Amino acid sequence: MLTTSDIKQIRTQVKQWHQQGKTVAFVPTMGNLHQGHISLVEEAKRHADHVVASIFVNPMQFGANEDLDAYPRTLADDQQALVNAGAELLFTPTPDIIYPKGLDAQTYVDVPGISEQLCGESRPGHFRGVATIVCKLFNIVQPDVAVFGEKDFQQLMVIKTMVEDLSLPINIIGVATKREGSGLAMSSRNGYLSEDQKQQAATIKQSLDTLIMSVKQGLAIETAIENAQSTLKANGFKPDYLEVRNANDLSQVQDQDKQLVVLVAAYMGSTRLIDNMTFNR
Ligand code: PAF
């Protein structure tokens, strides 16, 4: 696998593949790869002849008091995992390569509406950072297909909306969340948790399961949410938000809506975890 921080080298290789009539799938990441990321690479392989990955801890999507500096950087392990999974090209730019004029002078991409709610409300500017880097990486790599995890459900919707609004010729594919045996959604941020906290954190999935089951059995959504929040609090979480929305556009649930998603963000100590599950009622 060729690893490079050189934009020209990425473009030359992808152009060569395209000239040979081959398709290219792209898996953007921030590194510290776990089985969830590997499942994205595996899915990417099912959709294209060649797989390109990127590792870039994107400063634009971190708020001032967030974990940009602490975010785990594990390049050597990540490279090995990507080779094993079958990626052939890895882009590892530095912030200077991506934002040579600095963040304040950088042109950005804003996806209105969907970026301002849920995680966007708690983390102002976060989805601007995500949309900007993903758009930029798309322009550098020029893939046919790009693969993202459904664990970041709102992020996936922001990206799909951006691709549609800007007419980008890229097929966006979402991959189901990978979970630990306990049900805890895999995340690089789980590494901040102690073993005890990890066990407690499994309550997130349990509360979502219970919420879904009770809504299906006819309990009012508001009551099911209150119950889930109580369970989370009783297990050491400080919920940021816990909401049920329309799964197709994240709008508020109307009586006729059948496809729903429950989304949660909650703090365990200083670690903010997110999760979601879609369901039909
Ligand atoms: O999901 C992530 O890891 C990041 O938000 C992404 C999509 C790589 C953009 O930095």
Side-chain angles (χ1 to χ4, degrees):
M1 181 181 70
L2 171 67
T3 300
T4 179
S5 57
D6 183 14
I7 294 177
K8 242 166 97 185
Q9 230 179 338
I10 295 288
R11 287 209 165 115
T12 305
Q13 178 58 83
V14 173
K15 195 169 164 192
Q16 199 183 12
W17 283 331
H18 278 148
Q19 280 168 347
Q20 292 163 353
K22 302 293 185 193
T23 52
V24 174
F26 178 45
V27 182
T29 80
M30 298 207 300
N32 192 235
L33 304 183
H34 49 68
Q35 204 47 45
H37 295 108
I38 298 311
S39 73
L40 305 185
V41 176
E42 286 166 357
E43 185 66 17
K45 277 174 68 182
R46 285 192 270 276
H47 291 272
D49 300 304
H50 298 285
V51 176
V52 182
S54 65
I55 294 178
F56 178 61
V57 184
N58 173 34
M60 200 193 264
Q61 70 189 73
F62 287 77
N65 301 317
E66 293 183 353
D67 56 341
L68 173 63
D69 293 335
Y71 200 86
R73 279 127 171 121
T74 51
L75 182 60
D77 287 351
D78 293 348
Q79 280 174 307
Q80 194 53 57
L82 288 169
V83 169
N84 295 346
E88 289 162 85
L89 185 57
L90 173 62
F91 183 44
T92 53
T94 60
D96 284 350
I97 290 172
I98 294 294
Y99 303 121
K101 293 181 286 186
L103 287 184
D104 291 342
Q106 172 66 39
T107 300
Y108 56 78
V109 179
D110 249 337
V111 181
I114 196 148
S115 295
E116 290 143 23
Q117 38 189 307
L118 301 166
C119 280
E121 204 175 324
S122 317
R123 304 181 67 190
H126 170 66
F127 287 118
R128 171 186 294 179
V130 170
T132 302
I133 187 60
V134 171
C135 187
K136 209 167 153 122
L137 291 168
F138 282 176
N139 283 323
I140 292 167
V141 176
Q142 306 206 352
D144 305 285
V145 175
V147 184
F148 295 86
E150 285 174 0
K151 152 126 186 322
D152 297 291
F153 192 84
Q154 189 179 6
Q155 166 173 286
L156 180 58
M157 284 214 167
V158 167
I159 291 164
K160 282 185 174 166
T161 308
M162 172 187 80
V163 163
E164 197 181 321
D165 288 357
L166 299 182
S167 307
L168 302 180
I170 302 169
N171 182 15
I172 303 298
I173 293 175
V175 174
T177 304
K178 279 266 171 211
R179 297 183 181 278
E180 305 289 353
S182 66
L184 176 64
M186 289 188 185
S187 163
S188 300
R189 291 192 166 99
N190 293 350
Y192 299 145
L193 302 174
S194 67
E195 280 314 310
D196 281 355
Q197 284 179 321
K198 266 189 205 156
Q199 278 185 4
Q200 270 181 299
T203 344
I204 295 189
K205 169 75 164 52
Q206 290 155 17
S207 358
L208 299 190
D209 282 338
T210 307
L211 179 147
I212 291 171
M213 198 183 62
S214 16
V215 170
K216 284 185 172 191
Q217 285 171 350
L219 190 69
I221 288 177
E222 296 70 30
T223 314
I225 288 176
E226 277 169 27
N227 293 346
Q229 277 183 326
S230 304
T231 309
L232 288 177
K233 284 181 194 158
N235 283 280
F237 275 106
K238 191 166 160 274
D240 177 3
Y241 65 76
L242 198 163
E243 294 201 30
V244 177
R245 296 283 183 100
N246 179 313
N248 297 308
D249 56 9
L250 288 186
S251 60
Q252 299 291 344
V253 178
Q254 306 297 318
D255 288 346
Q256 69 277 10
D257 290 343
K258 296 276 172 266
Q259 293 172 317
L260 306 182
V261 57
V262 53
L263 306 111
V264 61
Y267 285 92
M268 172 66 75
S270 56
T271 304
R272 186 174 180 278
L273 300 174
I274 59 170
D275 201 347
N276 70 82
M277 288 175 74
T278 52
F279 63 104
N280 290 326
R281 67 161 182 190

